[in-house]
Amino acid sequence: MPANLDNITILYSDVPSLQQMQNLPCLPPFDEHVCGFLSAVGQKLLSTPAAKAYPDIITFAFFCRKANLAKLKENYGTRIANRLGRGVSFHIAPSNVPINFAYTMAAGLLSGCCVIVRASSKSFAQTDIITAAVAQVLCLPEYAAVKNRLAIVTYGRESDATAMLSAMCDVRVIWGGDDTIAQIRSHPIPPRSFDITFADRYSACAIDAKNYLADYDAAKTAQDFYNDTYLYDQNACSTPRLICWIGSNADICAAKARFWQALHSYTAPRYQVEPVVAMDKLMTECRCAIGLEQVMVPPHADNLISRIQLSALTEDVPQYRCAGGSFLEYDCTDLTAFAAIVTRKYQTLSYIGLDAQELKSFCTQQGLCGVDRIVPVGKTADFTLTWDGYDLIETMSRIVYTA
Amino acid sequence: MTIQKMLEYTPYELEAQAKQKLLTDMFTQLTEHHYQNCPEYKKILDALDKKPSAINSVESVPFIPVRLFKEYLLTSVPADKITRTMTSSGTTGQQVSRISLDAETSKNQQRVLSKIIASYIGAQRLPLLILDSKTVVKDRKLFGARGAGIMGFTIYGRDVTYALDENMQLDLNAVNDFLDKYRDGPILLFGYTFMIWQHFYLKLKEQGITLNFGENTTLFHVGGWKKLVELKVDNETYKTELLRQCHITRVYNYYGMAEQLGSIFVECECGHLHASIFSDIIIRNPYDFSPMPNGEKGLMEVMSVLPTSYPGHAILTEDEGIVLGEDDCACGRKGKYFKILGRVKNAELRGCSDTYASKFR
């Protein structure tokens, strides 16, 4: 079938037709050519003046460093010894996180797959800068082995590219939430292929009040929490919306005062609350007041931070999500009540003043069907090769079994 | 103070201090009433720690977001008192507001609307040409705010005639017959801003027909400007074009919403929208919802003394506006006068849960 590329913009590709990528060899995970290519892209980005203005590009460039890739490979150890990439991976990046396409692309290549990534059709400088770096690096003879294994494309709703690319892929990686997944799934994939889906998720933060007061710098913690929330409009799946305060009433009271004050000071000069977001927050306060038992909204001087104090945790809590700085709070002495409401929808549990291993033991012992990530405050948005409970390298590669 | 008493005033006669005193009294009573009788409203006020007894000014009356009426049916009277549930028109695909009306609220809406309109055209009933289709009011089941608005207006008129047929096509014969009959005397016209433009004005223009309504004709029109703004038609252009095509000299736009029928904000001869003694307008700073000084842009809170069957006396809208002044408009009307700048723009949020599906097949 000749590719109908009328409505698709190829940002980078080195094959006459994308279908030809099906015939390329599968590589083992962390193949040296792939690692070499990614670290060269990272270096290129770090020396690109235009990239300096984008902290997300710099973070990606650091992810691509040779030493980091070597460390990641080492962590896998023998788990990837008998593996090969599954073939062609087709990635649909979300429209609102500019950098995501780069990470999903890197994960696909590292797994040993060829990658076709659909970047957001919105115009982002990050897309242009990274695509330019990729194209420049792939012109060099030493990366010839990777040259034809990657295509970066973009297209609008009118394009039939999703149907075409779905029909030829071995793994389809869908970012962007429930509605996008439903839309993309209307396009069939070959019988042996499967989807890795990143659905709409809900995330929480647990704070030990006493340890926070004793061991944490208020300003530094506020900055970390800001990076988890306001930096992306509190609209990422991993962003905390529910905060569980653990401790005695007195400690919680003192910790809250310190925490929110510091967050306000850090956020005020950096974050602009749009009028419609201010309305959304008020609306959420009203919806919670009506739908949840005995909620209390502490007085706030402005619309920067909206806090809603819950008197009980119920399963419908995720229905009251609102972007742009809206937080539900619950006071407790341990996480039992939280564990009772965790559903498949829960993704990240970030923490302050708690121990990751203990939290992990708690979640596994409780047999929770949600919570796939337990990370310290400030790290909720950090990309890792394990995301939403998938190991991306293992999922996008297959085992060559020998007996 | 009661609505009955307030009806003894003319709609624009009170100056700031007297109006503030009267409205503070009315809004305190109303807030207390809704607090006692609408469970959802009580929960909101309790959560926000707002007490009806703490009200000491119009600005301190607790307000609720207009979107609440799209998600909840809020009622402050027993269910058997509700005579009608009004729905807002809302463009396709949008959720519509649902408003519970009882006999008392409906009656007061009608009386106050009469009072305000009469202050413009006098109390007598005038020949009325509705620049819309009769089908909008025919089917009671489909009876939305658009139908209610027309019905509400028909009581100021006699020999009510519709300018559009069942298919929203211009009924030129009906219009001409009406004009022939009443050419010399005062005529009242009513319609929806965009409908008039689309189905009346543009049709006349297309067919190269000019009408001569003349000096004694008054047009009131209401409804959203969104589509007209897209067509780059502002209020000035609107008036100029209606004057040119139909020779209508007195054109009054008014701002009204399904959530606050009756206490409408009518444009004056200077082109300013006015709050009557039955309503008020507060511009709030989106940063902290504090009231903003005159002349500054912010979110519009609309207030009405009429809603007793639902807690809609103080509503924060999603429109932006500016209060231009108070008690000193050149038209002579007292009270605040203002202009509307349009709907707040949707936020372009970052983050992975996106609205992609609608843009992407």
Side-chain angles (χ1 to χ4, degrees):
Chain A
M1 169 183 91
N4 175 4
L5 299 181
D6 288 350
N7 295 315
I8 174 168
T9 307
I10 308 276
L11 301 176
Y12 173 82
S13 160
D14 190 55
V15 282
S17 135
L18 294 177
Q19 269 91 348
Q20 290 177 6
M21 291 172 85
Q22 289 171 286
N23 306 323
L24 297 173
C26 301
L27 294 179
F30 293 95
D31 177 82
E32 58 176 314
H33 297 289
V34 168
C35 291
F37 157 67
L38 286 175
S39 66
V41 169
Q43 275 176 356
K44 184 96 215 161
L45 289 171
L46 288 175
S47 64
T48 304
K52 299 237 178 345
Y54 299 94
D56 49 354
I57 296 185
I58 301 304
T59 310
F60 174 70
F62 275 97
F63 174 86
C64 292
R65 268 174 317 161
K66 201 173 179 179
N68 186 52
L69 297 178
K71 199 180 87 194
L72 291 171
K73 181 178 184 179
E74 198 188 312
N75 289 345
Y76 277 96
T78 55
R79 281 192 292 149
I80 51 171
N82 302 314
R83 285 180 172 267
L84 281 176
R86 287 183 175 269
V88 176
S89 60
F90 169 35
H91 304 246
I92 294 126
S95 68
N96 291 340
V97 187
I99 199 68
N100 177 283
F101 91 97
Y103 283 109
T104 194
M105 168 190 87
L109 289 170
L110 286 172
S111 71
C113 286
C114 295
V115 168
I116 301 169
V117 59
R118 191 257 188 202
S120 172
S121 53
K122 286 185 192 166
S123 162
F124 289 121
Q126 288 95 325
T127 313
D128 301 341
I129 292 168
I130 292 171
T131 305
V134 163
Q136 284 171 35
V137 168
L138 288 177
C139 281
L140 304 172
E142 54 262 54
Y143 305 112
V146 186
K147 206 171 170 169
N148 52 5
R149 302 185 64 82
L150 169 64
I152 304 172
V153 302
T154 181
Y155 51 85
R157 59 185 297 185
E158 69 290 343
S159 175
D160 49 10
T162 298
M164 179 196 90
L165 298 173
S166 294
M168 63 171 277
C169 71
D170 296 286
V171 185
R172 188 168 58 180
V173 185
I174 313 171
W175 301 81
D178 296 359
D179 292 342
T180 305
I181 293 166
Q183 292 277 355
I184 303 288
R185 276 195 171 155
S186 66
H187 301 290
I189 48 178
R192 286 214 358 107
S193 305
F194 58 85
D195 289 330
I196 302 178
T197 54
F198 297 99
D200 291 332
R201 305 297 297 276
Y202 188 82
S203 294
C205 178
I207 307 177
D208 184 289
K210 196 172 186 173
N211 292 345
Y212 163 68
L213 289 168
D215 305 335
Y216 284 75
D217 178 66
K220 172 68 171 68
T221 311
Q223 183 184 349
D224 285 339
F225 191 78
Y226 176 93
N227 289 342
D228 285 346
T229 53
Y230 291 89
L231 187 61
Y232 285 98
D233 291 313
Q234 200 197 14
N235 202 31
C237 291
S238 58
T239 195
R241 303 177 187 282
L242 168 66
I243 315 232
C244 295
W245 291 94
I246 305 170
S248 68
N249 283 340
D251 284 341
I252 289 176
C253 191
K256 278 181 179 170
R258 181 172 182 256
F259 181 86
W260 295 116
Q261 172 61 46
L263 183 68
H264 191 276
S265 303
Y266 190 83
T267 307
R270 291 175 175 81
Y271 194 77
Q272 177 91 30
V273 179
E274 292 193 45
V276 70
V277 172
M279 295 286 301
D280 287 344
K281 291 183 187 177
L282 174 64
M283 184 65 194
T284 304
E285 291 168 2
C286 294
R287 291 178 65 229
C288 286
I290 294 173
L292 299 171
E293 280 310 306
Q294 291 202 334
V295 309
M296 207 267 293
V297 177
H300 39 88
D302 56 50
N303 294 326
L304 209 48
I305 302 173
S306 165
R307 297 165 54 195
I308 300 166
Q309 178 70 38
L310 308 179
S311 61
L313 282 185
T314 46
E315 269 196 29
D316 54 352
V317 156
Q319 289 172 20
Y320 298 91
R321 51 168 288 170
C322 169
S326 172
F327 303 96
L328 307 186
E329 296 182 87
Y330 180 70
D331 301 352
C332 49
T333 50
D334 59 45
L335 287 177
T336 313
F338 171 71
I341 62 154
V342 166
T343 60
R344 285 164 180 77
K345 209 168 172 63
Y346 283 73
Q347 184 202 54
T348 301
L349 177 63
S350 50
Y351 58 88
I352 297 171
L354 291 157
D355 181 77
Q357 290 308 319
E358 281 175 26
L359 287 172
K360 186 167 100 177
S361 310
F362 175 77
C363 291
T364 47
Q365 274 161 21
Q366 298 273 334
L368 300 187
C369 56
V371 180
D372 314 316
R373 304 173 71 223
I374 299 168
V375 298
V377 63
K379 300 285 181 199
T380 63
D382 289 10
F383 180 80
T384 54
L385 290 172
T386 304
W387 197 266
D388 267 18
Y390 295 108
D391 182 309
L392 295 176
I393 300 298
E394 290 191 330
T395 313
M396 284 190 276
S397 60
R398 70 194 156 85
I399 302 166
V400 182
Y401 173 76
T402 48
Chain B
M1 185 52 73
T2 60
I3 304 280
Q4 193 65 43
K5 279 263 198 209
M6 287 180 74
L7 286 163
E8 290 167 15
Y9 294 104
T10 62
Y12 302 98
E13 75 170 272
L14 292 184
E15 294 203 343
Q17 209 181 353
K19 182 175 168 181
Q20 170 80 233
K21 189 165 175 294
L22 180 146
L23 288 189
T24 304
D25 176 38
M26 287 297 285
F27 287 133
T28 307
Q29 286 179 45
L30 272 172
T31 307
E32 185 65 52
H33 160 76
H34 295 303
Y35 184 79
Q36 297 300 340
N37 295 290
C38 176
E40 293 88 355
Y41 185 75
K42 179 177 191 304
K43 284 182 182 179
I44 292 170
L45 262 54
D46 285 346
L48 299 174
D49 197 24
K50 307 259 187 215
K51 298 199 168 41
S53 57
I55 295 170
N56 55 14
S57 63
V58 173
E59 284 80 14
S60 65
V61 176
F63 51 85
I64 59 176
V66 65
R67 229 184 298 158
L68 219 48
F69 294 98
K70 297 187 198 291
E71 286 195 31
Y72 301 93
L73 182 60
L74 304 174
T75 305
S76 305
V77 291
D80 60 350
K81 296 271 193 206
I82 297 300
T83 50
R84 196 160 73 206
T85 302
M86 178 75 59
T87 54
S88 64
S89 44
T91 31
T92 328
Q94 279 184 334
Q95 264 186 302
V96 295
S97 288
R98 289 176 304 152
I99 309 298
S100 304
L101 296 177
D102 65 354
E104 187 197 341
T105 301
S106 300
K107 190 180 69 189
N108 286 334
Q109 287 178 342
Q110 196 59 256
R111 284 157 136 187
V112 165
L113 185 64
S114 304
K115 189 92 185 168
I116 293 172
I117 297 298
S119 78
Y120 281 79
I121 58 166
Q124 78 282 26
R125 291 163 78 103
L126 303 180
L128 173 62
L129 182 65
I130 305 278
L131 304 181
D132 210 318
S133 161
K134 194 170 187 173
T135 37
V136 183
V137 290
K138 248 192 197 159
D139 190 343
R140 299 292 285 196
K141 272 189 236 135
L142 297 173
F143 205 78
R146 188 165 145 216
I150 293 173
M151 282 303 285
F153 227 88
T154 54
I155 61 157
Y156 310 107
R158 57 190 168 87
D159 195 7
V160 180
T161 306
Y162 289 82
L164 306 181
D165 68 15
E166 280 84 8
N167 304 313
M168 294 297 288
Q169 298 300 312
L170 180 60
D171 187 348
L172 203 56
N173 290 335
V175 174
N176 279 327
D177 288 351
F178 183 87
L179 261 176
D180 286 343
K181 215 159 146 189
Y182 300 111
R183 192 173 302 279
D184 302 327
I187 294 175
L188 182 58
L189 303 180
F190 173 77
Y192 288 90
T193 311
F194 180 70
M195 298 290 165
I196 295 173
W197 186 264
Q198 190 73 6
H199 298 288
F200 186 71
Y201 160 77
L202 279 182
K203 289 291 170 297
L204 290 172
K205 197 180 168 190
E206 271 170 29
Q207 297 172 36
I209 301 164
T210 51
L211 298 173
N212 186 11
F213 278 96
E215 314 297 330
N216 289 323
T217 298
T218 308
L219 166 65
F220 286 96
H221 66 100
V222 62
W225 280 89
K226 201 176 135 197
K227 288 182 195 149
L228 287 169
V229 169
E230 283 166 14
L231 297 172
K232 305 228 180 313
V233 177
D234 61 10
N235 197 12
E236 267 325 292
T237 316
Y238 195 87
K239 285 183 186 174
T240 314
E241 289 302 301
L242 283 175
L243 179 65
R244 183 167 43 202
Q245 205 70 37
C246 320
H247 203 70
I248 304 171
T249 51
R250 282 185 301 203
V251 177
Y252 297 106
N253 183 210
Y254 70 81
Y255 178 61
M257 49 203 304
E259 293 82 358
Q260 283 186 353
L261 290 178
S263 55
I264 57 174
F265 302 93
V266 188
E267 187 185 4
C268 71
E269 295 72 19
C270 306
H272 302 142
L273 293 164
H274 279 258
S276 71
I277 59 167
F278 304 99
S279 65
D280 212 351
I281 193 106
I282 297 171
I283 302 298
R284 294 203 176 265
N285 188 338
Y287 183 76
D288 56 7
F289 293 148
S290 62
M292 299 190 83
N294 293 351
E296 288 187 28
K297 169 182 136 174
L299 291 167
M300 291 186 12
E301 178 191 347
V302 292
M303 307 184 81
S304 168
V305 297
L306 302 180
T308 48
S309 55
Y310 65 98
H313 57 301
I315 298 176
L316 190 62
T317 71
E318 302 196 345
D319 288 327
E320 287 179 309
I322 298 176
V323 169
L324 301 166
E326 185 167 14
D327 296 341
D328 58 0
C329 182
C331 76
R333 289 175 184 81
K334 302 300 176 191
K336 287 181 188 163
Y337 54 99
F338 62 100
K339 73 171 176 192
I340 298 171
L341 301 170
R343 190 64 54 91
V344 292
K345 70 174 188 340
N346 264 327
E348 279 272 333
L349 295 179
R350 294 159 283 193
C352 53
S353 316
D354 57 32
T355 48
Y356 201 39
S358 58
K359 292 175 234 128
F360 189 40
R361 210 154 28 110

